C-alpha cells in the first residue's frame, strides 16, 4: 500500500476541511473528534466539491443541492447524494497527513 503526503495537520480544521487533488482524484480531508478522515470530494450527485460545503457535527452538506454525508463513515444521510462516499485510509506521520488511494468500503 503506498502512502501519499496530503498536508500538514495544521491545515485541517474541524469547520475547514482541506481540499486537494492527488493522482487526478479530488480528495477532502476532515477533522472530526480529533481524528482525520479522507473522502472523495466530488459529490456523487453532480459536480460540486463537498469541501466547499457546510461542515457541522461530523457532517458535510453539499453546497449545490444540500445532500448531507457523514464524515466518519461517508454515508449519505440526505438525498440527493445518490450513494455513500468512498473513504480513503488516513495516517499521520510527523504531523504530516498521508492517505492511500485504495478506497475503504
Ligand atoms: S451536487 Fe451535491 S447534492 Fe447535487
Amino acid at each position: 500500500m503506498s502512502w501519499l503526503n496530503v498536508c500538514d495537520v495544521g491545515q485541517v480544521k474541524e469547520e475547514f476541511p482541506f481540499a486537494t487533488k492527488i493522482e487526478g482524484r479530488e480528495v477532502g480531508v476532515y477533522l472530526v473528534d480529533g481524528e482525520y478522515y479522507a473522502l472523495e470530494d466530488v459529490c456523487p450527485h453532480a459536480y460540486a466539491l463537498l469541501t466547499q460545503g457546510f461542515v457541522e457535527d461530523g457532517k458535510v452538506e453539499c453546497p449545490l443541492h444540500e445532500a448531507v454525508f457523514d464524515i466518519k463513515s461517508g454515508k449519505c444521510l440526505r438525498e440527493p447524494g445518490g450513494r455513500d462516499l468512498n473513504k480513503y485510509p488516513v495516517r499521520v506521520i510527523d504531523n504530516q497527513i498521508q492517505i492511500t488511494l485504495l478506497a475503504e468500503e
Side-chain angles (χ1 to χ4, degrees):
M1 187 182 307
S2 80
W3 292 92
L4 305 161
N5 285 337
V6 177
C7 61
D8 194 85
V9 288
Q11 291 173 275
V12 186
K13 308 280 181 219
E14 290 252 354
E15 278 135 49
F16 298 102
F18 185 84
T20 188
K21 193 167 191 173
I22 298 187
E23 297 189 354
R25 286 193 232 187
E26 309 275 1
V27 177
V29 181
Y30 298 81
L31 175 62
V32 181
D33 298 335
E35 296 283 331
Y36 295 94
Y37 298 89
L39 298 170
E40 61 177 317
D41 201 18
V42 177
C43 182
H45 178 236
Y47 190 88
L49 292 179
L50 296 167
T51 46
Q52 293 175 359
F54 183 61
V55 177
E56 190 176 58
D57 294 335
K59 303 179 193 92
V60 60
E61 183 183 86
C62 178
L64 204 51
H65 309 109
E66 300 169 5
V68 174
F69 299 91
D70 181 81
I71 293 168
K72 289 184 181 179
S73 66
K75 204 165 175 39
C76 178
L77 301 176
R78 186 170 79 201
E79 295 297 340
R83 64 165 172 80
D84 299 342
L85 300 174
N86 289 327
K87 283 179 65 185
Y88 302 106
V90 178
R91 72 178 187 183
V92 178
I93 303 280
D94 294 334
N95 285 334
Q96 185 66 220
I97 295 174
Q98 299 182 331
I99 68 165
T100 180
L101 289 174
L102 293 176
E104 287 178 348
E105 287 303 310

